[in-house]
Structure formats: structure tokens, C-alpha cells
């Protein structure tokens, strides 16, 4: 069977303006898709209202436009897709892969926060239910073109994965798997902070009978203290910086030589030329210090 045509995506959470780290994920996923002649989708992951900032999604989309990174097709918003997550959870409950859980965080303290079995909840205790994916005692791994083989035993290292939180919010892990499949995503190119979410997502895909896309994790953009940048800290917004400065610095951060960076011809034409010059084999595990 021929491989399905390349579909990539960028999936920001609207917790703040685009910063260096998310610009790198946006441009890196765009370059990887366009270099392969693929489509590139944008999905707003707005499932956690307490962490969201009003206007952040619009600001992120405007920043992408300014960078010349245009999505194919409509931008999908996870807040409009609750019925799809409900359906997936119902299927997992029906097949026995998911179960309701009354354990509180305190209940899991004795097992380092790792859920392997439900504790006995005292009679009459008022608790709201979460729902979890039951994970097996097996190694789940994948081959990342940048990071090599990455493996986890979910039962030992992670525990049963929350799918719907006790406060009723859908968990990222469920929503991302449902949506990547619904959108026909074949290649997930995103920051290395999500490397250790990937085995959970593969376990969920298997439980739901969905195909596993290829995963590639880009180097993280750390602050001067070596911490990951976070939109919600207001860290390093790129708004207001010249577009070429942002794109060139991301290009160098993706391990691409600056002498391969095309002459500036406006955002769209420059990124199109960059996609032809892009060499995915050069993407480093860590951002080059000079970038
Ligand atoms: N929404 C996630 C974030 O902004 C990214 C999800 C993904 O790329 O899988 O960190």
C-alpha cells in the first residue's frame, strides 16, 4: 500500500503570545512538511480555560500570518470538538481500555503519583470521577529521527493515563490523539518537551485502533538558566521583532547553515525558498549555542 500523503500540523495552546519556542515548533513543522511537499494544518488546543489568555489564539494566528506560515484548510479549535472526545472515551470504556477513577492526588502520593490500581475510597466520601486509560506492563517505543529510539514502560514509569480530569476537562493526551487521527496527520513535528508524551499517545492509538504517525521532536528553546520557555510566563514573545530576524534565528536553531538561508524576498517567498534548502538530517538534539 502506498504511504498516505504527508500531513503535518502545529498545535499551540492559547496560553500566551507566540514565543521563541513555539515559533521554532511552528517553523520547524512547516519546513518539514513543505520540504516533503506536504500539507500543514494548524489546530488551537483550547481545552484548558483556566490556563488560557483572552486573545492569545488570535495573536498566535496573526503571528503565523506575519511569518508567512499559512495553514492549509480551516484552523481547528479543540473547544469545538467535545463530542469527538466523548465518543473516543465511550469506545475505550466499552472495550475495557478505560475506567472511571475516584483516586485523589493524595491517594497516589505513596506511589510517586503513579496510578497502577485504584485505592479503596472511604464510604460516603464525596469525590468526582476522572477517567483513565489502563496501561500494560510493556515497553512502548518509537524511532525519532533526531533523538533515536525512545522507550517507556508506561505501567512502571507513568501509570494509568488520565483521559478526562475530575474537573470535567478533557486531557491533552486524549484530545491530541483523537484530533491527529481525525485530521489525517501523518507526521507530528513538535518540541522535545513532548517526547515523553509520545509513548502515551501511541498506547492510546493502539487502544483506539488508530494509526501511529511518525514523530520528530525539535530541540527545546531554553532560557538563560536552561529552563524551557513557557508562553504562560510571558517569556520572550516574538511580536514586534522583524520577521526575518525570527525566521533566521529559528532556521539556525534547526541546525541549518546560515549560508543556505535564502535572500530576503518577503515572508512567503523566503520561507518557500527555505523549504527547498531545508535538510531535516541536520536538526540537532539541542539548539546550537550560537543560534
Ligand atoms: N498544545 C501543545 C503545546 O502547546 C502541543 C501539542 C502537540 O504538538 O502535540 O504545548
Amino acid at each position: 500500500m502506498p504511504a498516505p500523503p504527508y500531513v503535518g500540523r502545529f498545535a499551540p495552546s492559547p496560553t500566551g503570545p507566540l514565543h521563541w519556542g513555539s515559533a521554532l515548533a511552528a517553523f520547524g513543522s512547516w519546513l518539514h512538511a513543505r520540504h516533503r511537499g506536504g500539507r500543514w494544518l494548524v489546530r488551537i488546543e483550547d481545552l484548558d480555560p483556566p490556563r488560557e489568555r483572552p486573545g492569545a489564539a488570535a495573536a498566535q494566528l496573526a503571528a503565523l500570518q506575519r511569518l508567512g506560515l499559512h495553514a492549509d484548510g480551516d484552523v481547528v479549535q479543540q473547544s469545538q470538538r467535545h463530542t469527538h472526545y466523548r465518543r473516543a472515551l465511550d469506545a475505550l470504556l466499552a472495550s475495557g481500555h478505560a475506567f472511571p477513577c475516584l483516586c485523589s492526588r493524595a491517594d497516589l502520593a505513596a506511589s510517586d503519583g503513579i496510578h497502577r490500581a485504584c485505592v479503596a475510597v472511604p464510604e460516603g466520601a464525596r469525590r468526582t470521577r476522572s477517567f483513565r486509560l489502563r496501561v500494560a506492563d510493556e515497553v512502548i517505543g518509537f524511532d525519532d529521527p533526531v533523538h533515536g529510539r525512545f522507550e517507556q514502560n508506561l505501567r512502571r514509569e507513568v501509570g494509568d493515563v488520565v483521559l478526562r480530569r475530575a474537573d470535567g476537562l478533557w486531557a491533552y493526551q486524549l484530545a491530541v490523539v483523537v484530533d491527529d487521527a481525525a485530521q489525517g496527520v501523518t507526521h507530528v513535528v513538535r518540541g522535545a518537551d513532548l517526547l515523553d508524551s509520545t509513548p502515551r499517545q501511541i498506547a492510546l492509538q493502539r487502544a483506539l485502533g488508530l494509526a501511529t504517525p511518525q514523530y520528530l521532536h525539535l530541540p527545546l528553546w531554553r532560557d538563560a538558566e536552561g529552563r524551557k520557555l513557557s508562553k504562560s510566563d510571558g517569556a520572550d514573545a516574538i511580536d514586534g521583532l522583524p520577521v526575518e530576524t525570527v525566521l533566521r534565528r529559528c532556521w539556525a536553531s534547526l541546525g541549518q547553515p546560515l549560508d543556505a538561508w535564502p535572500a530576503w524576498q518577503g515572508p512567503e517567498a523566503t520561507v518557500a525558498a527555505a523549504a527547498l534548502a531545508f535538510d531535516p538530517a541536520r536538526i540537532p538534539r539541542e539548539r546550537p549555542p550560537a543560534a
Side-chain angles (χ1 to χ4, degrees):
M1 244 193 346
Y6 187 123
V7 181
R9 52 54 155 200
F10 172 56
S13 307
T15 52
L18 226 54
H19 61 60
W20 282 105
S22 40
L24 183 65
F27 193 30
S29 60
W30 186 93
L31 280 168
H32 199 270
R34 292 296 196 246
H35 174 75
R36 296 275 297 267
R39 286 161 51 77
W40 184 74
L41 310 177
V42 172
R43 180 170 74 230
I44 298 291
E45 302 211 317
D46 51 351
L47 282 182
D48 193 351
R51 288 186 57 235
E52 284 154 24
R53 301 268 171 87
Q60 291 173 342
L61 294 174
L64 293 176
Q65 294 293 317
R66 220 165 60 85
L67 296 174
L69 309 178
H70 303 299
D72 295 307
D74 293 338
V75 172
V76 164
Q77 278 181 275
Q78 289 191 323
S79 55
Q80 306 302 310
R81 296 185 42 81
H82 294 279
T83 49
H84 300 270
Y85 311 137
R86 174 88 255 166
R87 213 171 291 150
L89 177 60
D90 287 344
L92 291 166
L93 287 166
S95 63
H97 286 101
F99 62 95
C101 171
L102 289 173
C103 296
S104 68
R105 212 165 279 181
D107 292 331
L108 303 183
S111 54
D112 295 327
I114 295 180
H115 188 284
R116 297 195 183 91
C118 288
V119 299
V121 173
E123 194 82 26
R126 302 242 313 252
R127 296 259 179 107
T128 33
R129 291 188 302 179
S130 63
F131 290 89
R132 292 179 186 267
L133 175 74
R134 198 183 310 281
V135 299
D137 189 5
E138 63 177 5
V139 171
I140 295 192
F142 67 101
D143 293 302
D144 185 296
V146 174
H147 295 267
R149 183 87 191 151
F150 186 88
E151 294 183 335
Q152 272 179 343
N153 180 315
L154 292 180
R155 178 155 172 89
R156 290 192 197 162
E157 299 170 51
V158 176
D160 300 317
V161 179
V162 175
L163 302 173
R164 185 181 163 101
R165 296 170 10 183
D167 60 10
L169 295 182
W170 295 105
Y172 156 70
Q173 307 291 357
L174 177 70
V176 77
V177 162
V178 169
D179 289 344
D180 282 338
Q183 295 185 279
V185 170
T186 59
H187 290 72
V188 173
V189 175
R190 60 186 177 189
D193 53 320
L194 292 164
L195 249 180
D196 74 352
S197 281
T198 303
R200 284 168 238 200
Q201 294 174 17
I202 294 173
L204 254 171
Q205 286 151 1
R206 291 181 185 166
L208 285 163
L210 301 171
T212 292
Q214 291 188 33
Y215 288 95
L216 183 155
H217 292 83
L218 300 171
L220 275 190
W221 199 300
R222 300 178 194 278
D223 66 13
E225 278 80 54
R227 289 181 310 235
K228 174 192 172 236
L229 295 186
S230 153
K231 293 191 277 291
S232 27
D233 302 339
D236 285 287
I238 55 155
D239 288 345
L241 294 175
V243 168
E244 189 181 12
T245 305
V246 175
L247 292 171
R248 258 174 78 99
R249 203 162 168 218
C250 290
W251 176 259
S253 299
L254 292 165
Q256 308 298 307
L258 278 179
D259 56 14
W261 179 248
W264 186 249
Q265 335 160 36
E268 281 79 8
T270 307
V271 293
L276 298 177
F278 182 64
D279 180 1
R282 287 180 176 272
I283 301 173
R285 284 183 183 209
E286 295 286 336
R287 262 183 78 228

